[in-house]
Amino acid sequence: MAKTPPAPSSSQPANYEQALAELEALVAAMEGGQLPLDGLLQSYRRGADLLNYCRERLAAVESQVKLLEEGQLKPWKTE
């Protein structure tokens, strides 16, 4: 019996972390190989929307960091 995909929401996620968690759940469901074709297509579309949202948030944070670092993005230092 085919599994039902997680109920994708058409709304914007509240934050980056929520978007990433939903995206990971969609990927896991899709990789399971048990979704019906329509569910797979719906999950793919929602995943693409979530991926775009995450990319936009990351770009926004990067630009804010550049402002804080006086126009130059410095390498991340790990200690």
Side-chain angles (χ1 to χ4, degrees):
M1 187 160 134
K3 292 183 182 178
T4 307
S9 168
S10 60
S11 64
Q12 282 285 81
N15 54 44
Y16 176 84
E17 290 76 14
Q18 181 186 11
L20 187 58
E22 185 180 347
L23 184 57
E24 289 173 343
L26 285 172
V27 169
M30 291 170 69
E31 286 178 342
Q34 299 298 313
L35 294 178
L37 184 60
D38 289 339
L40 187 61
L41 181 58
Q42 182 181 11
S43 294
Y44 181 84
R45 286 180 179 156
R46 178 62 178 165
D49 290 342
L50 291 167
L51 183 58
N52 285 334
Y53 174 85
C54 289
R55 285 179 175 162
E56 288 171 4
R57 291 299 306 139
L58 288 172
V61 169
E62 182 178 330
S63 68
Q64 290 175 2
V65 169
K66 282 182 181 179
L67 284 175
L68 294 172
E69 296 291 336
E70 299 172 353
Q72 295 198 6
L73 189 58
K74 298 179 182 176
W76 188 262
K77 295 179 184 173
T78 56
E79 299 176 335

